Amino acid sequence: ARPAPAPAAGRTRTRSRSPEEPRGAAEMLSSPWARFYSNSCCLCCHVRTGTIILGVWYLIINSVVLLILLSALTDPDQYHLTSAELGGDFEFMDDANMCIATAISLLMILICAMATYGAYKQHAAWIIPFFCYQIFDFALNTLVAISVLVYPSTIQDYLRQLPNNFPYKEEIMSVNPTCLVVIILLFISIILAFKGYLISCVWNCYRYINGRNNSDVLVYITTNDTAV
């Protein structure tokens, strides 16, 4: 039997693999960051499904907030609290704050819609704004926890500025300040852990979609007669 002819030039584009390439791929797969990568998230669903659910949930919440703000803009007297009601020298939910909050809600709806569409259509770039928002939100909550830990007296000052008709104000102020700080730090730590888990789910979804879109098939010539 005659040996199979070598591939003709211009028909098949191949390249030979050096012995170092499999070793580099193995090192990349065994890197410390690879062990945190997973295609599943809570409730044993795929990270893509989890990102879609998370995007829809944020979209619903921000849509409800936007409806409340729009109703407050149409009827300012319903949500307008004066300084006498708050016991301070400022007014809550004035026109400037309402406009800023409405703009932020519209931006959040756009970002959540982009993340949901990107996860559904497997466009990794559309998930980046939502991931950046998660990082920013996590950083803000971390700063709040650090400020409570460094300046614990700010909690009592904040409680004194609340309106007199605020629910359970007197009961909260009667709690030992040290215990109150510990409870608040524990509550913030739980929130940070949950937010960190959601960040990891969105990041794994981005890596999964990006890996699927950038995957390619390589053809290697091992001998002159056999192609693998």
Side-chain angles (χ1 to χ4, degrees):
R2 294 184 301 171
R11 293 184 181 179
T12 305
R13 300 182 62 182
T14 61
R15 68 180 181 90
S16 61
R17 167 180 273 186
S18 61
E20 290 78 13
E21 287 183 1
R23 188 184 309 166
E27 291 176 357
M28 182 180 63
L29 291 177
S30 61
S31 62
W33 296 105
R35 70 187 64 178
F36 297 104
Y37 176 72
S38 176
N39 288 337
S40 62
C41 60
C42 57
L43 301 179
C44 299
C45 62
H46 198 272
V47 289
R48 181 166 163 259
T49 305
T51 303
I52 294 175
I53 296 175
L54 184 62
V56 172
W57 173 250
Y58 273 85
L59 189 63
I60 293 174
I61 292 177
N62 288 279
S63 299
V64 172
V65 172
L66 180 62
L67 290 177
I68 295 175
L69 292 174
L70 291 178
S71 63
L73 285 175
T74 56
D75 190 9
D77 296 333
Q78 183 178 358
Y79 297 92
H80 187 78
L81 299 178
T82 61
S83 58
E85 295 173 343
L86 293 174
D89 298 330
F90 59 93
E91 293 186 356
F92 182 69
M93 298 300 286
D94 56 355
D95 294 337
N97 292 333
M98 293 288 292
C99 293
I100 294 174
T102 303
I104 293 176
S105 298
L106 289 174
L107 181 61
M108 286 301 306
I109 289 175
L110 178 61
I111 292 175
C112 297
M114 289 175 60
T116 306
Y117 177 81
Y120 180 73
K121 293 294 184 179
Q122 299 191 20
H123 298 310
W126 291 66
I127 306 177
I128 295 178
F130 185 71
F131 179 74
C132 294
Y133 157 73
Q134 287 184 303
I135 296 295
F136 181 74
D137 183 57
F138 185 85
L140 285 181
N141 285 271
T142 305
L143 291 177
V144 170
I146 294 175
S147 63
V148 171
L149 183 62
V150 176
Y151 303 103
S153 60
T154 56
I155 299 177
Q156 297 293 332
D157 297 337
Y158 176 76
L159 292 175
R160 295 189 188 97
Q161 294 177 1
L162 292 176
N164 295 327
N165 56 355
F166 188 82
Y168 304 105
K169 177 182 176 180
E170 299 296 334
E171 289 79 0
I172 296 175
M173 292 188 65
S174 61
V175 178
N176 188 5
T178 304
C179 296
L180 185 61
V181 171
V182 172
I183 293 173
I184 293 177
L185 287 177
L186 181 61
F187 180 72
I188 295 177
S189 299
I190 295 174
I191 293 178
L192 288 177
F194 181 70
K195 288 181 179 294
Y197 180 76
L198 296 181
I199 290 174
S200 66
C201 293
V202 176
W203 171 246
N204 290 336
C205 178
Y206 171 80
R207 290 187 59 183
Y208 169 77
I209 296 176
N210 195 35
R212 285 179 58 91
N213 294 337
N214 294 335
S215 61
D216 57 348
V217 179
L218 300 179
V219 179
Y220 300 101
I221 299 299
T222 58
T223 64
N224 293 331
D225 302 330
T226 307
V228 178

